[in-house]
Every structure is written in C-alpha cells, then in structure tokens.
Amino acid sequence: MTSAPDQQPLPQPQAGPDPALPVVVDGAWKRFGSTDVVADLSFDVRAGEVLGFLGPNGAGKTTTMRMILDIIRPDRGGIRVFGGPPGTQHQGRTGYLPEDRGLYRDVPALDTLAYFGALRGLSMATARQRARELLVEVGLGDALTKKAGELSRGMHQKAQLIATIINEPDLLIVDEPFQGLDPVNATMLKSLLLEQRDRGAAVVMSTHDMEDAQVLCDRILLIDKGRRLLYGSVADVRRAFSDGAVEVVGTQLPTDIDGLHSASHATAYDGAVRYLLRDGATAQDLFRELGGTPAQVERFAVEAPNLAEIFIRAVAGDPRAQAVA
Amino acid sequence: MRSSFLRLVLLVARRDYLRTVRRRGFIAGTLLLPAAMATMFAVSGFLSTMGAEGQTLGPLFVVNQSAVTLSADPALTPHVVLVSQAEADAHVADGTVSDYYVVPGQWPAQPDIRHVVAAERGPSRPLDALTLEQTSQAEIEILLRVSILRDAGLPDTALARLLTPIEFSSVSTAGEPVTEASVLAGFALPYIFTLIFVLSIFITSGYLLQSVTEEKENRVVEIVLSSIPALPLMAGKVLGLGAAGLTQVAIWLVTALVAIPLVNQQFSLDLTLSPQQMVLAVVFFCLGYLGYGAIFAAVGALAPGAREGQQYSSFFGFFAVVPLIATPVFVNDPGSWIVWTLALFPLTAPASSLELLSLPATPWLTLGASLVSQLVFVVVAVVLASRIFRATLLLYGSRPSVRGIIGALTTRA
C-alpha cells in the first residue's frame, strides 16, 4: 500500500524508435484466423529495467513475446531488437523462458543446460562450466547428474531459469517465471532475475501475479485483446488510479483543513490521518504544507490501489486508464 | 556470440547423434539383425546335422506274397531285404526294425502295398521319420517296377537306360550357365537388399519423428526455437539422425559382407555385392532417408503426440513397400512403365532405385532419372518440412488447420 512519492518516474516512450533500446514494438499486428491476437501494439523495453507484461489469458502476451523472438512474425507493424529486425543474429543476446516449458526428461539437467548454452553461442565447455556454477548457486549442486525426469517441480523451474540466463543475455523474456513455486524458491529466483536487471539486462516478465509485478517491475504494460490498456511506471499507473487520498502517520497532525489549501477533507484513525486532496493539488503540495505545521511526519504515503485492482478496473474499461495508456 | 549456421547444424547433429546411438533401443536394433543371422545359421546348421543323423536308412524288410518274382538289386535297391512273414514279425518283435512292407498276393492287379508298423510306435512320428518313410517307399517302388519290367522280359540294358536319371542344364543366350542358385539369387538379392535398406530408411526416419515429437512432449521446443532458427535445427537433426542411421547400415553392411559367403555356402546360392553397389546403396539410402525424414519430421510437427505421429507416418510406409511387391516386374522387365513410374515417384523412388541397383544388369538411365527425382524432392521436402516444423511445433496438443499448414508452407522458415 505504500508508494514512494520521491521515486523518479521513468521517461515516457519516445515517439520514434530508439536504436539504443533493446526492444521497440511499433504498431505490431498479428491475426490468427479471424482474430486479431495483437492489434496495433506499441511499446519499448529498456536496458536495466523489468517490464511487467500483464493481461488476461489470451490477451496476446505470448504471441507478442514470440514475435520479439522471431519465433513467429507480425502481419503488420515493426519490431526492432537491439536496433535491428528480430532474428537469429540476436539469439546469443537473448534468453527466453516460455510458459509452456520443460527439459529433456531422460537427459541429465547439466547436459541439457550446457546444450542450451551452446545453442546460444557459448562454447560447450564454457556452457557446461556456467551451468554447473549456476546449478550450485541455486542449490542444485546435488542434482547435476540427475535426469530431468527425476527432479522436483521446484528444481525443474530453477533449472529452466538457468537455461534462460546461462548466456548472460542482454534481453531476457520470461513468461510466468515463478508459477507454482514455494515462497523460498520463488524468492531465490526473483533475486536471480533482479541480478540480471541490475547487471543491465532488459527483462520482460509476463505474470498474472500482480504482487510480483508491483514489487519487481519498473514499468508495466497491460494489454487486453491484443491492445494496449496501460503503459508506464508502476508509480505512474498507480497514481493515475489513485482516488486522491494520502495517508499520513505521525504526531500533531492537523485534522482541521482550514489551514490546509491542498486538502478538502481529513479523517483521523488509529494514529494516522487520511487527507483527501483538492482538485489540482498534489501530494507534494500537502507534504510541503504539513512541513509548515508542528506535525511530526513519520510516514507519508499516497493511497493508491494495488496493481491487482488496477488490472481489474482497466480491463473493465475504467476511463482513468486513458491517462497511462 | 554470433553463431554460424554450420556451427548450429553441427551442434544439433552431434547431440542428436550421440543421444540416439547411446540409446538401448538403437543398440538392440543395430545388433538384432546380425544376431538374427547368426542365430539362423546356428539353428540351420544344427537342424542339418540332426537331419543327417536321423535320415540314415536301415534295412527295408519286404515280404513278397505275390506271384511276381522280386529281386533286390544292390545298385538300385540297396536297402531292400526280402524276408518271409515270420522273419519280418520276428525282427519287429526283437526291435531290429519298427516296420516292414508286405506285397500282397493280388499285386500287381491291386496296387496296394501294406506297410506294417510296430504297435508300440504309435500314430505320431517326428518329421525326419516321415522323410525316411518317403525315401524307403521310393526305393520299394523302384523294386516293384523293376520286378514287373523284368517279369515282362525287358532286357537289363534297356532297363538300365530306362532308370538312368535325365539331367537338364540351362544356359543363357550369352552361353553362361544358369543355375537354380543364380536364378534364385536374381530374385532374392534385390528383394532382401531393398528390404533391408527400406527398413533402415524407415528406422532412421523414425528417429527423426521420435526426436521431433519428443521435443514437443518434453516442451523444450519453444526454448530451442528461440535459440536456433528452424532450418539449422531441422538440418542438424536430419544430419545427426541420418549419421546414426548410417552407423546402423554400416554395421549391417559389414554383417552382410561376412554373411553372404556363408549364405551362399549354406543354401547353395550365388549372392554377390560389389563395392559399387554398396556405395550407391549408401547414396540412395541417404536420399531415401532425407526424403522420408523430411516427411516424418513434418508429420511429427503436425501430430498432436508421438502415438499419432507414428500412426500418420505408417501411411507412408505403404509407398515404400510398393516396389518390394513389384519385385518380379523389376527382375523380369526393368524397362517397363511400371518400373519407370515407381522409380520417378518420390515416395517409391528410394526402394525402386535400390531394387534397380541390385539387378544383375543395372538400368543406369532409369537409375539416373530416379536419382534426379529424389534430389529435387529432397530439397523441396526439407525446405517445406522446416517451414511446417517451425510453424506448427509450438501447437503442442492441438491440431493445426489446413489453412495454417498452407500458410506455413508459403512462409520462409
């Protein structure tokens, strides 16, 4: 429920494709049968960020990811990857964890991971060494020679994520990476994913878990029926759906709004005061005004709905989505 | 980090090759043919030894009650011993023999000869005893016929001429002797040779089908396709699994080279395989495998699962065996329109060219035309298969539409 008002919003997408961006999707269309699975979709992905790719089932997320990876091709529109068309030339710089995934069941996990690493441009020896290190890092050191069919689901998931990052890709596309994992393993894999972002990789993460999206993503892209509904930083999107309320915790907080120009209403409860902002006023205005009072502010948070609520509202056609579409 | 096409092809090929040849099924399948041949020779040798021991003809006791004088001839009827009824019964009783023959008083007016068998021997007899009985009865038949002719006053010189066996010998128009063995070999070699190679083509293409469906069922195909384009993936699979198939064929060929002299000796045949035939056989094996392999890969990509994939692919097996059914046409009339059609039609061309190759006089024109037909088909099939492969592999568990397949065929992989 907290949001940092001082968090710097990420710059909005530029009008034209920026060759420095790992991914630029510009008005892409894809039709299967008589259905437009992706319709005039535009967005970009930046280095060193996690872009949350959200949407209901069948929204067109997987199709879009496959188009970025050149597994399938758009009918219309442009897709640029590392400044060029998608294709084999980028396969050494990308990593992909599809939703429908597995490992060769009758082959040791280490061999499979080394093979995937070699396919992505590493030498077989390097790929094997890196696979070994990563398996040990995620606690699968004992399972190096185990066949994939003998691994638990959690072990499978870890091995699959390793297959995705084994070549230290500059672009990482992961589809429901933490699905079905227990909290311990999920936390471990989240750290692994954020490590990739922190070393500068662009990460596209499709998820239905809005809590994960809220915590892990720098920006989100919500699509429905192939069309973009929301696009922007998590903070911007939440702010757009905010009801204009600020929750302040502290002492000597004023509840009389006569001295406050930025608030239209104040309600005290449980050691906190909930201020409703006037039209045109910002949380920053209120924060400044409270600084001029004897109030001691311990916590200041713009009340905003979480991403799960925003998801539901946006898909239901909430007009506030227009502001961040 | 950029991977070249060739590097990716070799990487996939190496992996698929090693994975296949290390499988128990492959090792068992490869060794099965040599083992079966070795077993066949062992059993055949054992049975021939058993037969030789069992077929030793002992004395044939004959009781003559007729008016015709019977005389055993040491040259014509060496085992016949003429005895009285009492002597015959005594020999049966003391176990010297288990049976004897009685020529009744009405003979030859009534041609029935009685075969008296010891009661304790029972109605059932082993196969070699029946063979022995036939040999015995043939000798007694000679005894009786010769006796009639002698009784009629035929001189021994005429009798000797009458009984001298007549021998036939065949020669070709080129003056070369044509033996039964070479006639049999003329039919047997094309058939067996083609059968083994068609079997190899199908087994190897089956590996490709298995590999494709396995990647679907293990759900690694999307990861693989995001790492490597469909064409080098397909090419690597075709190369690696083809190499596995060639390994199998090479082992079988070596077995054949060892076995052919033994087969010739054992069955009095005249089978030969020239180095030229073997090299061309490998070429046609490769073409057959590439064509069928491409089809099987596409089938594997289209089929919802491994079981359906095998069912669909078995349909193509029908085409492969048509030339085998038509072996007599290949042998008797290699220039006929049937042979030409089968040699040019891509699905029957691999088996047809192998049949043509193993004919005593190779029809090079037909074989060359078949080679061109297969080359063209292989190129087209591999490209189309890689397009289908790419477009449909991701649809695990679902059935792609006809429109989708046509769309895939017209889109570059």
Side-chain angles (χ1 to χ4, degrees), chain A residues 87-99:
Chain A
T88 57
Q89 66 275 25
H90 309 303
Q91 282 168 334
R93 297 180 68 187
T94 57
Y96 178 42
L97 181 70
E99 184 182 14

Side-chain angles (χ1 to χ4, degrees), chain B residues 61-217:
Chain B
F61 289 100
V62 178
V63 177
N64 185 18
Q65 296 173 351
S66 73
V68 179
T69 305
L70 301 181
S71 56
D73 186 319
L76 294 173
T77 55
H79 300 98
V80 171
V81 180
L82 294 168
V83 292
S84 66
Q85 180 73 56
E87 284 172 325
D89 287 337
H91 282 300
V92 170
D94 67 18
T96 311
V97 291
S98 62
D99 60 346
Y100 63 87
Y101 292 86
V102 176
V103 181
Q106 296 83 1
W107 186 83
Q110 288 184 359
D112 297 332
I113 305 298
R114 208 163 60 241
H115 183 204
V116 181
V117 180
E120 60 269 23
R121 198 168 83 170
S124 66
R125 273 159 289 175
L127 193 62
D128 59 341
L130 287 173
T131 310
L132 196 65
E133 197 169 289
Q134 283 176 345
T135 312
S136 307
Q137 289 176 3
E139 190 169 325
I140 288 167
E141 209 171 310
I142 290 171
L143 169 76
L144 298 177
R145 291 190 194 285
V146 166
S147 299
I148 290 171
L149 291 170
R150 277 196 176 129
D151 200 46
L154 192 73
D156 274 6
T157 47
L159 197 60
R161 280 191 213 121
L162 190 68
L163 292 172
T164 302
I166 295 167
E167 291 183 358
F168 294 88
S169 63
S170 306
V171 288
S172 70
T173 50
E176 290 176 355
V178 178
T179 63
E180 280 183 21
S182 60
V183 171
L184 183 61
F187 279 94
L189 188 63
Y191 191 84
I192 295 168
F193 189 69
T194 308
L195 186 68
I196 289 175
F197 269 83
V198 167
L199 193 66
S200 309
I201 288 170
F202 266 80
I203 289 173
T204 313
S205 302
Y207 294 146
L208 199 51
L209 176 72
Q210 187 184 1
S211 172
V212 170
T213 52
E214 186 184 41
E215 293 203 332
K216 279 169 72 176
E217 291 189 334

Side-chain angles (χ1 to χ4, degrees), chain A:
Chain A
M1 287 292 288
T2 60
S3 174
D6 56 347
Q7 186 179 343
Q8 291 298 314
L10 289 162
Q12 287 299 304
Q14 297 166 3
D18 180 350
L21 293 170
V23 177
V24 177
V25 176
D26 186 14
W29 288 78
K30 184 70 190 178
R31 170 172 282 205
F32 289 139
S34 58
T35 308
D36 286 323
V37 178
V38 174
D40 194 22
L41 185 62
S42 297
F43 65 95
D44 59 43
V45 190
R46 301 158 193 179
E49 76 162 347
V50 177
L51 176 73
F53 200 12
L54 317 177
N57 293 325
K61 301 188 294 294
T62 301
T63 301
T64 305
M65 289 189 286
R66 286 176 176 174
M67 287 195 293
I68 294 170
L69 291 159
D70 198 37
I71 295 174
I72 54 176
R73 289 175 185 156
D75 300 327
R76 272 193 284 152
I79 295 180
R80 311 281 298 170
V81 177
F82 300 119
T88 57
Q89 66 275 25
H90 309 303
Q91 282 168 334
R93 297 180 68 187
T94 57
Y96 178 42
L97 181 70
E99 184 182 14
D100 194 17
R101 57 192 173 237
L103 298 169
Y104 297 108
R105 291 186 62 78
D106 59 344
V107 177
L110 181 65
D111 291 353
T112 299
L113 298 183
Y115 174 59
F116 287 161
L119 284 180
R120 290 189 177 277
L122 301 179
S123 72
M124 189 53 93
T126 308
R128 181 167 282 272
Q129 176 62 24
R130 178 119 179 88
R132 190 185 299 275
E133 287 167 4
L134 286 167
L135 283 168
V136 170
E137 189 180 324
V138 298
L140 291 180
D142 296 336
L144 291 173
T145 54
K146 272 191 182 173
K147 290 180 177 171
E150 298 165 5
L151 301 180
S152 68
R153 184 184 174 128
M155 290 167 149
H156 249 267
Q157 293 269 85
K158 287 179 183 176
Q160 284 155 0
L161 189 60
I162 288 171
T164 314
I165 63 170
I166 190 166
N167 57 329
E168 296 196 329
D170 296 323
L171 171 62
L172 193 58
I173 298 177
V174 289
D175 200 345
E176 295 289 351
F178 317 118
Q179 198 175 37
L181 280 179
D182 65 72
V184 175
N185 281 316
T187 304
M188 184 186 286
L189 291 194
K190 283 172 192 171
S191 301
L192 208 57
L193 199 67
L194 291 177
E195 277 175 25
Q196 302 302 309
R197 180 195 67 179
D198 294 344
R199 67 167 178 77
V203 181
V204 178
M205 181 180 78
S206 168
T207 181
H208 285 123
D209 188 323
M210 294 301 117
E211 200 179 319
D212 281 347
Q214 195 164 315
V215 172
L216 297 172
C217 298
D218 300 295
R219 292 191 301 149
I220 60 161
L221 168 66
L222 173 66
I223 66 171
D224 186 30
K225 295 177 182 141
R227 292 182 183 277
R228 193 171 90 185
L229 290 186
L230 296 175
Y231 181 44
S233 71
V234 173
D236 284 349
V237 170
R238 292 187 70 198
R239 197 173 295 125
F241 279 81
S242 159
D243 293 324
V246 176
E247 185 193 70
V248 185
V249 178
T251 54
Q252 295 184 286
L253 292 167
T255 52
D256 181 1
I257 58 162
D258 287 347
L260 298 171
H261 301 292
S262 53
S264 63
H265 192 261
T267 313
Y269 61 95
D270 295 338
V273 178
R274 185 173 185 269
Y275 296 98
L276 209 58
L277 296 172
R278 290 182 193 277
D279 286 346
T282 66
Q284 195 67 34
D285 296 336
L286 177 64
F287 191 71
R288 257 196 303 269
E289 280 193 290
L290 288 175
T293 70
Q296 294 292 313
V297 176
E298 294 166 7
R299 183 164 163 266
F300 186 96
V302 175
E303 257 188 22
N306 59 33
L307 279 184
E309 294 168 43
I310 293 171
F311 182 103
I312 294 165
R313 289 183 199 174
V315 172
D318 191 316
R320 283 175 290 188
Q322 300 287 339
V324 279

